[in-house]
Amino acid sequence: MSDTRQGPLQETRHKQTERDERDPYPDALRALALLIVVLGHWAATLPRVEDGILVDTGHILDVWAPAGLYTWLVQVVPLFIFVSAAVSSQGVQQRLERGEPHLHWWADRALGLARPTVTYLVVLTGFVLTAFFTRDGVLGPLNHSLTVHLWFLLILLGVQLLLPFCVWADRRWGLKPSSG
């Protein structure tokens, strides 16, 4: 009986091979989509300043009706999630064929997303504490716009969790080329 588990050295070599073969286009597409999401949420926040002090924020959708149309035309979160799933599906299929548990990969993926998110939230906490102790009141009006874009991480993790089912369903009922 052979052991199919890889040691640390083989796993490192496998990951290096994956990086060498990795197509940079999907990663660039995902990075661009993330940048558009974050900058879009920041740009949609309309600060209201009185006497040089930020007193409130509004949202572009509340003051300019055509902005709603633009938000539908520039839907990049579904693009990000679709590209992420497409990039991950081959690895999911390989893990299914080898009989490896998907939850281990998913947990690694979730931790990989959690680390920068926690860092971002720690930095925001620092800003909140600074604003609280200095009484500048800058973050009160901005609180929603600083975190509203984080919802998509939950959607991404949900899609990644369902990938084995999607790969299986695609193999079972997916689009296949006709054979003559």
Side-chain angles (χ1 to χ4, degrees):
M1 184 191 273
S2 68
D3 188 5
T4 59
R5 290 179 288 172
Q6 295 179 346
L9 183 59
Q10 292 88 358
E11 191 173 316
T12 302
R13 285 182 187 152
H14 178 71
K15 287 181 179 180
Q16 182 62 41
T17 302
E18 282 179 356
R19 270 187 293 238
D20 292 343
E21 297 172 0
R22 191 174 184 129
D23 182 4
Y25 177 73
D27 291 334
L29 195 57
R30 289 187 291 181
L32 179 64
L34 280 175
L35 189 62
I36 290 170
V37 167
V38 173
L39 293 178
H41 280 99
W42 276 81
T45 302
L46 303 175
R48 196 176 88 218
V49 178
E50 293 177 3
D51 297 325
I53 298 173
L54 179 67
V55 294
D56 196 11
T57 60
H59 196 279
I60 197 164
L61 294 174
D62 295 333
V63 296
W64 188 47
L69 174 64
Y70 291 114
T71 64
W72 282 103
L73 294 175
V74 187
Q75 280 296 318
V76 293
V77 171
L79 172 69
F80 177 87
I81 291 170
F82 178 77
V83 170
S84 295
V87 167
S88 300
S89 64
Q90 183 179 6
V92 169
Q93 186 169 348
Q94 291 169 352
R95 283 187 296 282
L96 287 174
E97 290 168 357
R98 290 189 303 252
E100 295 175 4
H102 178 68
L103 286 179
H104 292 170
W105 174 84
W106 184 82
D108 285 344
R109 187 78 161 170
L111 284 174
L113 290 171
R115 287 181 189 112
T117 303
V118 168
T119 302
Y120 179 73
L121 293 174
V122 166
V123 169
L124 286 182
T125 301
F127 282 128
V128 167
L129 291 173
T130 300
F132 178 76
F133 288 117
T134 60
R135 304 278 188 222
D136 285 343
V138 171
L139 293 179
L142 292 175
N143 65 355
H144 183 69
S145 66
L146 293 173
T147 57
V148 70
H149 52 274
L150 295 176
W151 66 269
F152 84 93
L153 291 174
L154 296 175
I155 302 301
L156 175 65
L157 287 173
V159 168
Q160 296 285 346
L161 185 61
L162 295 174
L163 270 178
F165 172 73
C166 297
V167 168
W168 172 82
D170 182 59
R171 278 197 252 155
R172 175 81 170 97
W173 299 297
L175 298 174
K176 297 176 185 150
S178 60
S179 55

